[in-house]
Every structure is written in C-alpha cells, then in structure tokens.
Amino acid sequence: GGRARRCGRSRSAARVRYLLSCMAEAPRPISTDPPEDLPPLSGPLRRGKWTVEEERYVERVIRDFNGGLLSAPPGTTLRGYLSERLNCDPMRITKKFTGDASI
C-alpha cells in the first residue's frame, strides 16, 4: 500500500527532475520527450499533492507548448500532453489549473 505509493512518487519526481535538467540545457526548440535511456513510468497513475519539480516542469511546458516549441502531434491538447508526461489522470491537471490559473 503506502510503500508502493511513495516509491511511485519518488520515481515520478526523479523523472521530472531529469526532464527539467534536460530542458534547462537544451537549445530551442526543445522536446520534452524522455530520452531513450529513461524507462517509461509504469504502475498506477500519479495522484495527490503536486511536487515542486512537477510545478516547475509544468510552468516550462505550458510556456513552450503555447509558444509552439514542443514536438507535439497536431491536435494535442495541453491537458493531454501534461497528463501523459506526468503519468497522471487528465483530471489531476484540470483540478490544478482551475479559475484564474486555467489552461
């Protein structure tokens, strides 16, 4: 129960930190696609409180997505893009960005 959840959060946070470091070093335009050596997240979807790393990652992705700098297929929604990258339900994105912060 609880241990698996902590393990999943730890892997998710490590993945977001890794992606942030890649984005910080990358020339524009950037891709937030994980490199080949980074295994995809598996297991249950990420839930609960947002980590600082997730919030920083999302801020950057929103800016670059809106600027057309990401390699996203045509028709991709920001909500769908973020939920896929963060391995979470799209509703988690919606809940985070409501009201004045809506995306």
Side-chain angles (χ1 to χ4, degrees):
R3 182 172 185 174
R5 183 176 302 147
R6 274 184 259 128
C7 178
R9 285 182 183 167
S10 175
R11 283 188 61 212
S12 179
R15 178 184 176 95
V16 171
R17 278 193 303 275
Y18 180 80
L19 290 172
L20 276 170
S21 70
C22 291
M23 291 170 70
E25 298 170 6
R28 297 222 178 258
I30 64 165
S31 170
T32 59
D33 295 330
E36 295 296 322
D37 62 341
L38 186 63
L41 291 176
S42 60
L45 295 178
R46 174 80 175 94
R47 298 172 34 166
K49 185 175 177 173
W50 285 67
T51 65
V52 172
E53 293 88 358
E54 285 177 311
E55 290 177 352
R56 287 181 47 216
Y57 178 73
V58 167
E59 287 173 16
R60 173 76 184 261
V61 170
I62 290 170
R63 184 179 67 229
D64 292 346
F65 186 93
N66 289 336
L69 301 173
L70 302 181
S71 59
T76 301
T77 65
L78 179 54
R79 178 177 178 246
Y81 188 87
L82 286 170
S83 69
E84 182 179 309
R85 294 304 181 275
L86 295 173
N87 191 41
C88 68
D89 189 285
M91 185 53 74
R92 184 170 182 252
I93 307 295
T94 301
K95 288 179 180 180
K96 176 71 173 176
F97 297 98
T98 58
D100 291 340
S102 66
I103 56 173

